[in-house]
Amino acid sequence: MCGIAALLSFEERLSPESIGGATRQLTHRGPDGSGQWVSHDHRVALGHTRLSIIDLATGAQPIANEDERLHIVVNGEFYDFETIRKDLEASGHRFRTRSDSEVALHLYEDLQADCLKRLRGEFAFIIWDEGNGELFAARDRFGIKPLFYFQDGSQLCLASEAKALFAAGVPANWDHESAFQNLFLSVNQDRSLFKGIRQVPPGHYLVANSRSVRVHRYWDADYPRSSRTDTQRSEADWIEQIRFQLAGAIRIRLRADVPVGCYLSGGVDSSAVLGMASAALPGKVAAFTVAFEGREFDESASAERTAARAGADFHRVALANQAFADLFSDAVWHGEMVHYNAHGVARYALSRAVQAAGYKVVLAGEGADELFAGYDFSSAALAASGRNGFAVWPRMLARMLRSKSPHERQISAVSPKLGNVCKLLDFPPALLRGLAEKLTLLKSLLSAEFVQAFPRRDPYGEFMAQFDRPATMSGREPVKQVLYLWMKSLFVNYVLAADRLDMAHAVEVRLPFLDHELFELTRTIPASLLAKGTIRKGLLRDAARPFITDEVYRGLKQPFFAPPSTLQVQNPMYQLIQDVLRSESLSDVPFFDRKSVAALLDRIPVMTESERTSMDPLLFMMTSMCVLQKRYGL
């Protein structure tokens, strides 16, 4: 895991300080070394900061091929690279290092963009191809590793984090369109919060030369049509195959020249990873768990029992309420994203503790909910998918023909598209009521100028319009459609953005559930099996059962959430929120009406406990935008 940057000038010679500034800004991602390469005509520059994990002695970057017509910088890991290397050496390639990164360089030399078909892992990389006069940049299939870029008429800049682009001279401004999307949780996968800065989307590569900058897709989460799901395989066969494939995905992610640990919560996802990792490695695996104040959100006791079952070395990372306030600003700055809860701060603190314990690599459980439909928001779609393919569609058509409920009409007033989705999937009344209230409240907090800039705009309709629905969603089971949309929105721009919180402390997090070969298996599981029983992710639980405690096997899903800040007025995080949102900082953010926000803050003390808890995401969102405004000088 590292930090990478590249500059390509279409007109003038590059200043050496530009790539130097970008590279230095990424030092936290790679504190073990740095390197730069500038072309002879000073039109191309590559920068790299290194976190040494594989090939500790000779893996410095940028790396050149044999005739030095190709140069590469890589962030991430390529698994089973030894096999690829043997094949390349057999065909005549000569390697300068023993690192996994170099295999991408020589694969590209032979296959160009088709090299991506051979690569398995979590990665972003940039290659300058002198022979073709082109820059080639690619991102892994799920978007685990970030890759931002900025383009204007004179240059193209790429980097692992937006802050490195600012250090290279890109101006820092809000992207109002992206802010509009973020406010309504309908974020395009190729956007950032910053004007002119986009992301290479997951499963895409970018090709740039003096004539154009083009982005191409090489992979997609291609769910099969309902009639083509694998209905012949028995439940026992599914469980056996899931266990086999997951164990393999975990085993290859244990390859490192440094010790590997695990993030651990009280749930089945991370518990399965720890259990299988412990079974695959000699000795004890280190397991790191956040412990919160208060029992309701603290899973550390269950996690400790899981660690004991796996024979792991358990590390409890105690996080007092004061720590959330102390670390919030730094976590927001590193994350470069809107925060909706304090669990981003918890992740930031957890990676800091991992670094302090001397670890650079951990495995984690993200991705299991995407593979096995574990989220609350997918429940209605999972139920709608039914047990017999699309036999449920007549009932869904009947729902569309009925009159909308009052809450559905409230939702439709903000987004007709979202209102239709709620009606189609028959969202339960409590979910509809909460969603309607939040959308109505959010709209009331926006400044008149911001609202006027987006007249009659449907954020969810615009989000949906970007997809080729016949090719990607039509004919798929409803739950697969919902998961597809989730993976194209907040999953990549919020859940996976935790990379920047982990790499703030130079901790590489590997995600075995987001192994594309495992996904190719699970995408064909019929929804009837995903929905079986009353406990979610039953197939995964059964697959992992030999490696987890009975407590975890039978336990209910609990998302990784930090304690709400609004329940106690003396809570330091609540006090910070009040201070920030009542200060001039809010006035500097061009999206909110200060008087309306103050009125909401005044009402919180008289709200019920559930009402106050439900305010947390909205308050954190506004506070994090204030921090971004100040820390980045937007």
Side-chain angles (χ1 to χ4, degrees), residues 308-575:
R309 163 70 175 78
D313 184 11
F314 184 67
H315 297 251
R316 178 185 279 105
V317 181
L319 198 59
N321 288 338
Q322 181 64 50
F324 292 108
D326 294 342
L327 299 176
F328 183 73
S329 178
D330 286 343
V332 171
W333 183 79
H334 275 285
E336 302 178 346
M337 62 180 178
V338 172
H339 287 231
Y340 301 99
N341 184 278
H343 61 276
V345 179
R347 184 66 171 253
Y348 178 80
L350 183 60
S351 63
R352 184 179 64 173
V354 169
Q355 182 191 49
Y359 282 79
K360 297 180 177 181
V361 183
V362 292
L363 273 58
E366 282 92 340
D369 288 319
E370 286 67 31
L371 268 59
F372 299 100
Y375 288 112
D376 286 341
F377 64 74
S378 65
S379 297
L382 191 57
S385 297
R387 293 183 176 274
N388 297 305
F390 264 48
V392 299
W393 279 111
R395 294 198 299 274
M396 299 180 78
L397 178 61
R399 292 180 196 135
M400 290 302 296
L401 294 176
R402 68 165 169 79
S403 298
K404 288 183 177 178
S405 70
H407 293 310
E408 287 169 341
R409 288 196 294 272
Q410 277 183 277
I411 294 169
S412 294
V414 176
S415 168
K417 176 65 71 173
L418 183 60
N420 288 337
V421 170
C422 292
K423 186 178 177 183
L424 177 68
L425 295 180
D426 200 22
F427 282 9
L431 180 58
L432 284 174
R433 182 176 62 254
L435 182 58
E437 290 173 352
K438 293 300 179 299
L439 288 175
T440 302
L441 175 59
L442 173 60
K443 203 169 182 181
S444 73
L445 298 176
L446 300 179
S447 70
E449 295 79 9
F450 186 64
V451 172
Q452 290 167 6
F454 298 91
R456 296 180 297 279
R457 294 277 294 271
D458 182 344
Y460 303 99
E462 293 177 17
F463 171 75
M464 292 288 292
Q466 68 181 296
F467 300 107
D468 181 355
R469 295 191 67 190
T472 60
M473 287 179 281
S474 295
R476 278 73 170 177
E477 295 160 313
V479 69
K480 304 291 178 65
Q481 296 185 43
V482 169
L483 290 175
Y484 181 87
L485 293 173
W486 167 250
M487 291 172 68
K488 301 296 183 181
S489 58
L490 281 178
F491 178 62
V492 65
N493 279 328
Y494 185 63
V495 177
L496 294 184
D499 164 89
R500 296 187 288 281
L501 301 175
D502 297 313
M503 288 302 290
H505 302 292
V507 174
E508 172 178 296
V509 179
R510 301 176 176 181
L511 304 178
F513 282 108
L514 295 183
D515 180 274
H516 78 275
E517 294 190 9
L518 175 60
F519 176 82
E520 297 296 341
L521 170 72
T522 61
R523 72 186 182 91
T524 64
I525 298 174
S528 57
L529 281 177
L530 292 176
K532 185 177 181 181
T534 58
I535 297 181
R536 293 179 194 160
K537 298 186 287 192
L539 290 177
L540 174 59
R541 291 172 187 269
D542 286 334
R545 191 167 191 177
F547 306 95
I548 59 178
T549 64
D550 192 61
E551 173 187 17
V552 169
Y553 175 76
R554 300 185 184 283
L556 297 176
K557 173 180 171 58
Q558 179 173 322
F560 176 55
F561 279 139
S565 65
T566 52
L567 296 183
Q568 298 176 326
V569 294
Q570 68 270 28
N571 184 303
M573 189 65 216
Y574 177 68
Q575 293 173 351

Side-chain angles (χ1 to χ4, degrees), residues 301-312:
S302 173
E304 186 170 14
R305 290 188 286 272
T306 293
R309 163 70 175 78

Side-chain angles (χ1 to χ4, degrees), residues 165-288:
L165 299 179
F166 300 148
V170 173
N173 297 298
W174 284 109
D175 183 326
H176 286 230
E177 288 279 348
S178 291
F180 175 70
Q181 289 185 334
N182 271 268
L183 289 168
F184 291 98
L185 302 178
S186 56
V187 185
N188 288 9
Q189 60 180 340
D190 66 338
R191 301 296 290 262
S192 81
L193 285 169
F194 309 111
K195 186 176 181 179
I197 296 179
R198 305 190 78 88
Q199 299 184 66
V200 175
H204 284 69
Y205 64 88
L206 176 151
V207 179
N209 54 39
S210 59
R211 300 177 301 278
S212 64
V213 176
R214 307 178 306 280
V215 176
H216 305 273
R217 187 178 69 190
Y218 71 89
W219 186 88
D220 198 13
D222 184 20
Y223 288 102
R225 294 181 181 274
S226 175
S227 59
R228 298 179 65 183
T229 56
D230 189 345
T231 58
Q232 301 304 311
R233 199 189 303 255
S234 70
E235 184 175 346
D237 286 342
W238 277 114
I239 292 168
E240 182 180 352
Q241 283 300 308
I242 291 167
R243 182 183 298 137
F244 176 78
Q245 290 277 17
L246 178 58
I250 290 170
R251 185 176 59 256
I252 62 174
R253 283 165 176 78
L254 295 172
R255 170 70 174 90
D257 295 334
V258 295
V260 179
C262 289
Y263 283 160
L264 179 64
S265 69
V268 66
D269 308 341
S270 61
S271 298
V273 171
L274 175 65
M276 290 185 174
S278 296
L281 284 177
K284 291 188 174 183
V285 176
F288 297 88

